[in-house]
């Protein structure tokens, strides 16, 4: 008999359980894939220089993922117990003992979890190779990923299954026991409009103030150094966004719906007053769920977008520091050229640029002090003759403008401010110069800032030191061996410059030394002889790909979980709400109109979190350097979020309407 009761309960709520099982299975599959990838021999062979890093990271991330998935199961699993409240109370009235009802709830949860784990393991086995090849593709590794699952991983998965299932079953059994102890019907809390209206208005004020604080945050991040003010602004923005959204849901949204109910043109236009009240009450009951989903969705979007910004920034920083795989100056070019002939390197392109080094004096805005130092000068025509990637992230200049390229220019915020009054030894003063951050031949080839100047200025400017930079592009790398690199290590420093600063810049001089000084003084500068970062570039791309793989996996899993929460909340109607729909049917409301109620309920339930989450994250991104980073990739992230939730919304409506029709036939 008990087996039939459990079977009937599972059958009656099969649609809801199916959504829950699929969401849990997806999470379980991702958990197993993370475990297996970290322990896979294919990963170790293809990425042996990463040592145990990927194994350690995937273990940490899989544990973190399992923890959040477990929280999701606890939270959503309670929906089904609440849905069966009247059923459990009926069993008790019919004479069934409490411990039997609690046992039924325990085994129902255990059966659902067992099915979810079984499907999850099947998903893991089916998609393990696909996810492994996706990881290799993002890390740009040309290696075939082989399926692998160790006995240790299987034993760990089995242990997690037993422990999590036991805990979830016990939790639901305790919830069932509490339902049986509190037999009184749920009291419906009346709407306190005197509290909701001011709370809603205060929530709107909090959200607006959060956007203003975001604007000041990005401004302060660019202008304030070593200050706690940005951290305080971040804390305020988080608190204002979280509580502001909740207060808007609690007060402002119900107020709008209540006003709409009073407007006959709305409440009687295509939908009668009773159906409007039903839809309004359902939204009131889902306020906490809507707020929860909104904030976590905004968190997922922020994680995706700002992680994309971070990856883009690091990528730009790397390209600015190492634009050529191999670079040299005139002191080392012959030695490096000879070694390249010995290797199997295939040169795709070679570049040569003359530069001048002169003394300058200027006021630095970042350090708020006057600086005197050597600076490298390059002519405008030589700068334009280099590949476009060298100047891609620098401001555009014409043949009559100056460009100062410095380390302090932010790669995240394109700084359009200009440097003023740069004094150059024995040359006209540079009144204004745009600021950039992308160094030709790489920042490591320079000991300080460099200046792009008009051709005429460069030709007439005297120099303390003259040099020539060389750069090479290769097909599949420079192919230099370890022995060759060890030999070239002796040429790492080309020469040294000791500057003797006087009270006047015109009287200051530079002494060039070929040998390393025994004692470095404050005004001693080193010119790099060559720069080679081929292996680092490969590891950088692989690290970025692994980073994107993990972040995307977590964010998508979070969005799937939140979408399933909304769907389950819509599907799990209690008897009181089902009675309301039947009453509407009995008083003459047509089936198409009731279907419209269900459709509007689904639309609003999914649309409200989408709109608020997009507004919160989009407002922050739009103010992030005034929206200059809003690219097609960000649009794709947002479009994917909308499409994913749209799919959940369509599924929710179809399943919800089918469940309502079945109850009408009873």
């Amino acid at each position: 008999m008990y087996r039939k009761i459990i079977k009937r309960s599972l059958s009656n709520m099969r649609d809801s359980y199916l959504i829950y099982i699929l969401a849990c299975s997806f999470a379980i599959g991702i958990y197993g894939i993370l475990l297996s990838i970290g322990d896979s021999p294919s990963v170790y062979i293809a990425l042996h220089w990463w040592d145990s890093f990927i194994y350690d990271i995937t273990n940490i991330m899989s544990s973190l993922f399992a923890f959040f998935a477990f929280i999701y199961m606890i939270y959503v699993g309670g929906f089904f117990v609440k849905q069966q409240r009247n059923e459990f109370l009926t069993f008790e009235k019919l004479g069934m003992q409490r411990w039997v009802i609690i046992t039924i709830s325990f085994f129902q949860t255990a059966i659902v979890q067992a099915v979810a784990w079984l499907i999850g393991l099947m998903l893991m086995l089916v998609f393990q190779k696909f996810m492994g090849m996706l990881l290799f593709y993002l890390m740009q590794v040309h290696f075939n990923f082989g399926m692998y699952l160790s006995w240790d991983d299987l034993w760990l998965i089995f242990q997690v299954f037993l422990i999590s299932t036991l805990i979830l079953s016990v939790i639901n059994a305790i919830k069932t026991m509490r339902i049986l102890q509190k037999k009184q019907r749920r009291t419906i809390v009346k709407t306190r409009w005197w509290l909701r209206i001011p709370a809603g208005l205060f929530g709107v004020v909090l959200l607006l103030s959060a956007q203003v604080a975001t604007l000041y945050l990005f401004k302060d991040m660019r202008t304030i150094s070593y200050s706690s003010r940005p951290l305080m602004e971040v804390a305020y923005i988080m608190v204002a966004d979280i509580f502001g959204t909740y207060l808007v849901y609690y007060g402002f949204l119900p107020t709008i719906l209540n006003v709409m109910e009073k407007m006959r043109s709305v409440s009687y236009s295509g939908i009668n007053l009773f159906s409007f009240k039903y839809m309004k009450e359902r939204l009131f009951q889902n306020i906490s769920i809507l707020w929860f989903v909104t904030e976590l969705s905004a968190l997922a979007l922020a994680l995706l977008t700002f992680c994309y910004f971070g990856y883009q920034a690091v990528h730009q920083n790397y390209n600015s520091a190492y634009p050529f795989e191999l670079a040299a100056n005139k002191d080392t070019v012959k030695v490096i050229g000879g070694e390249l002939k010995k290797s199997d390197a295939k040169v795709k392109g070679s570049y040569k640029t003359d530069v001048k080094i002169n003394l300058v004096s200027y006021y630095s805005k970042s350090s708020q002090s006057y600086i005197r130092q050597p600076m490298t000068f390059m002519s405008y025509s030589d700068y334009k003759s280099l590949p476009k990637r060298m100047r891609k992230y620098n401001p555009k200049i014409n043949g009559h403008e100056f460009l100062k390229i410095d380390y302090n220019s932010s790669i995240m915020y394109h700084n359009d401010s200009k440097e003023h009054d740069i004094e150059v030894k024995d040359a006209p003063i540079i009144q204004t110069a745009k600021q950039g951050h992308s160094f030709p031949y790489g920042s490591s080839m320079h000991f300080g800032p460099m200046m792009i100047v008009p051709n005429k200025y460069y030709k007439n400017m005297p120099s303390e030191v003259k040099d020539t930079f060389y750069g090479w592009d290769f097909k599949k790398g420079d192919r230099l061996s370890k022995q060759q690199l060890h030999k070239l290590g002796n040429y790492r420093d080309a020469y040294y410059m000791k500057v003797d600063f006087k009270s006047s810049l015109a009287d200051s001089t530079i002494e060039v030394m070929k040998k390393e000084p025994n004692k470095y003084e404050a005004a001693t500068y080193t010119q790099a002889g060559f720069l080679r970062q081929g292996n680092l570039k490969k590891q950088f791309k692989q690290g970025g790909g692994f980073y994107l793989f993990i972040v995307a996996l977590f964010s998508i899993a979070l969005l799937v979980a939140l979408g399933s929460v909304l769907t389950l909340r819509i599907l799990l109607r209690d008897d009181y709400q089902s009675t309301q729909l039947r009453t509407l049917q009995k008083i003459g409301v047509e089936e198409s109109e009731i279907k419209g109620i269900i459709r509007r309920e689904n639309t609003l339930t999914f649309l409200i979190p989408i709109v608020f989450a997009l507004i919160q994250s989009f407002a922050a991104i739009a103010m992030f350097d005034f929206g200059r980073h809003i690219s097609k990739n960000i649009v794709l992230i947002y479009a994917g979020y909308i499409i994913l939730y749209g799919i959940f919304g369509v599924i929710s409506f179809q399943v919800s309407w089918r469940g309502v029709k079945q109850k009408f036939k009873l």
Side-chain angles (χ1 to χ4, degrees), residues 325 344-349 472-479:
E325 192 168 327
D344 193 23
K346 296 180 180 179
V347 179
K348 188 168 57 174
W472 293 273
D473 288 327
F474 302 93
K475 293 181 179 179
K476 298 182 179 180
D478 53 36
R479 303 298 181 90

Side-chain angles (χ1 to χ4, degrees), residues 251-263:
F252 189 74
L253 181 61
T255 302
I256 295 297
L257 292 176
N258 190 57
V259 171
M260 291 175 63
E261 184 181 356
K262 302 297 182 182
M263 299 170 57

Side-chain angles (χ1 to χ4, degrees), residues 321-330 332-333 336 340 351 390 440-445 468-474 478 480 488 491-492 528-533:
Y322 309 108
F324 287 112
E325 192 168 327
L326 184 62
N329 81 323
K330 65 179 182 181
T332 58
V333 62
I336 291 177
L340 289 176
Y351 302 88
M390 306 291 179
Y441 294 94
S443 59
S444 300
M445 287 294 291
T468 304
F469 289 159
Y470 298 83
W472 293 273
D473 288 327
F474 302 93
D478 53 36
L480 293 175
L488 292 176
Y491 301 89
R492 177 67 65 184
F530 77 97
L531 180 66
R532 191 255 189 185
Q533 291 293 344

Side-chain angles (χ1 to χ4, degrees), residues 38-157:
D39 202 24
S40 174
S42 301
V43 175
Y44 181 77
I45 295 173
L47 305 168
H48 58 277
W49 49 81
W50 285 80
D51 197 16
S52 61
F53 175 77
I54 290 184
Y55 173 78
D56 295 336
I57 292 297
T58 51
N59 271 352
I60 294 173
M61 299 306 287
S62 61
S63 301
L64 188 64
F65 187 84
F67 172 75
F68 285 111
F70 183 67
I71 297 299
Y72 164 81
M73 293 176 185
I74 293 176
Y75 179 71
V76 177
F79 288 179
F80 304 105
V81 177
K82 292 180 181 178
Q83 178 71 9
Q84 292 180 279
R85 179 181 183 278
N86 292 332
E87 184 178 355
F88 292 150
L89 292 175
T90 303
F91 288 160
E92 188 181 26
K93 289 179 181 179
L94 294 176
M96 187 178 292
Q97 296 180 345
R98 284 189 179 182
W99 70 269
V100 175
I101 301 174
I102 294 171
T103 303
I104 291 175
S105 176
F106 178 91
F107 280 108
Q108 276 187 201
T109 305
I111 292 171
V112 171
Q113 290 301 124
V115 173
W117 275 88
L118 181 61
I119 298 176
L121 292 178
M122 293 173 61
L123 290 175
M124 179 192 69
L125 295 175
V126 171
F127 291 103
Q128 185 197 65
K129 186 174 181 64
F130 170 77
M131 298 300 289
M133 293 305 297
L134 176 62
L135 173 64
F136 280 0
Y137 173 77
L138 292 175
M139 297 183 73
Q140 299 186 15
V141 176
H142 303 287
F143 193 85
N144 185 36
F145 181 87
M147 294 183 63
Y148 177 80
L149 188 63
S150 67
W151 289 108
D152 291 337
D153 291 339
L154 277 175
W155 174 241
L156 178 60
I157 290 173

Side-chain angles (χ1 to χ4, degrees), residues 302-418:
L303 182 66
L304 281 173
T305 51
F306 282 100
C307 284
Y308 165 74
F309 286 153
Y311 175 77
Q312 187 184 49
V314 174
H315 185 72
Q316 291 180 13
N317 188 31
Y318 177 86
N319 288 336
S320 300
Y322 309 108
F324 287 112
E325 192 168 327
L326 184 62
N329 81 323
K330 65 179 182 181
D331 295 80
T332 58
V333 62
K334 291 184 179 179
V335 178
I336 291 177
E339 297 300 326
L340 289 176
K341 290 180 180 179
K342 297 178 184 179
S343 66
D344 193 23
K346 296 180 180 179
V347 179
K348 188 168 57 174
S350 59
Y351 302 88
K352 172 185 175 182
T353 304
D354 293 327
V355 297
K356 294 180 179 181
I357 300 175
N358 206 352
L359 295 175
V360 299
S361 176
Y362 60 94
Y363 179 78
S364 174
K365 293 180 180 179
S366 59
S367 62
Q368 297 182 353
S369 61
Y370 282 94
I371 294 178
R372 295 191 301 175
Q373 63 180 177
M375 184 179 288
T376 307
F377 288 79
M378 181 183 293
S379 67
Y380 173 78
S381 58
D382 287 340
Y383 175 69
K384 293 290 287 186
S385 65
L386 292 172
K388 290 183 179 179
R389 67 176 185 268
M390 306 291 179
R391 55 184 186 275
K392 181 179 179 181
Y393 303 110
N394 287 334
K396 293 182 180 180
I397 58 172
N398 56 39
H400 305 287
E401 293 179 311
F402 294 84
L403 174 65
K404 179 174 175 284
I405 304 174
D406 203 344
Y407 297 92
N408 295 328
S409 298
S410 174
I411 56 178
M412 288 299 292
Y413 309 102
H414 291 287
N415 197 343
D416 289 334
S417 63
K418 297 181 178 180

Side-chain angles (χ1 to χ4, degrees), residues 133-348:
M133 293 305 297
L134 176 62
L135 173 64
F136 280 0
Y137 173 77
L138 292 175
M139 297 183 73
Q140 299 186 15
V141 176
H142 303 287
F143 193 85
N144 185 36
F145 181 87
M147 294 183 63
Y148 177 80
L149 188 63
S150 67
W151 289 108
D152 291 337
D153 291 339
L154 277 175
W155 174 241
L156 178 60
I157 290 173
F158 182 71
Q159 287 179 314
V160 173
F161 159 68
L162 287 180
I163 295 173
S164 63
T165 301
L166 178 62
I167 294 175
L168 289 171
S169 300
V170 170
I171 290 175
N172 282 352
I174 294 173
K175 290 180 179 179
T176 303
M177 182 177 64
R178 294 183 62 184
I179 288 175
L180 296 176
Q181 290 175 347
K182 300 178 181 180
K183 299 179 182 180
Q184 65 273 17
R185 293 188 61 86
R186 179 177 51 125
T187 57
I188 300 175
V189 180
K190 298 294 182 181
T191 304
R192 298 185 180 93
W193 295 109
W194 59 270
L195 179 61
R196 287 185 184 269
I197 293 176
L201 294 176
F202 182 62
V204 173
V205 172
L206 280 179
L207 288 181
L208 293 177
S209 65
Q211 308 314 313
V212 174
T214 305
L215 182 61
Y216 278 98
L217 170 65
F218 293 137
K219 179 182 177 182
D220 293 340
M221 286 172 63
R222 286 175 284 181
T223 57
I224 298 178
S225 300
Y226 307 107
S227 173
S228 60
R229 182 173 172 179
L231 293 177
M232 295 174 62
E233 290 171 342
V234 168
Y236 176 78
I237 291 168
M238 292 179 62
V239 172
D241 267 332
I242 293 174
F243 286 99
T245 304
Y246 181 78
L247 291 177
V248 166
Y249 281 168
Y250 175 79
F252 189 74
L253 181 61
T255 302
I256 295 297
L257 292 176
N258 190 57
V259 171
M260 291 175 63
E261 184 181 356
K262 302 297 182 182
M263 299 170 57
R264 295 196 174 189
S265 59
V266 175
S267 59
Y268 285 97
S269 177
I271 179 171
N272 61 53
L273 183 60
F274 297 102
S275 59
F276 187 88
K277 283 186 175 181
Y278 169 81
M279 187 173 63
K280 188 183 71 171
E281 288 179 6
R282 284 284 287 173
L283 287 177
F284 287 178
Q285 294 173 5
N286 293 335
I287 282 175
S288 298
I289 301 295
L290 294 177
W291 169 73
F292 177 77
V293 172
T294 298
E295 293 308 303
L296 288 186
S297 297
L299 175 63
L301 286 175
L303 182 66
L304 281 173
T305 51
F306 282 100
C307 284
Y308 165 74
F309 286 153
Y311 175 77
Q312 187 184 49
V314 174
H315 185 72
Q316 291 180 13
N317 188 31
Y318 177 86
N319 288 336
S320 300
Y322 309 108
F324 287 112
E325 192 168 327
L326 184 62
N329 81 323
K330 65 179 182 181
D331 295 80
T332 58
V333 62
K334 291 184 179 179
V335 178
I336 291 177
E339 297 300 326
L340 289 176
K341 290 180 180 179
K342 297 178 184 179
S343 66
D344 193 23
K346 296 180 180 179
V347 179
K348 188 168 57 174

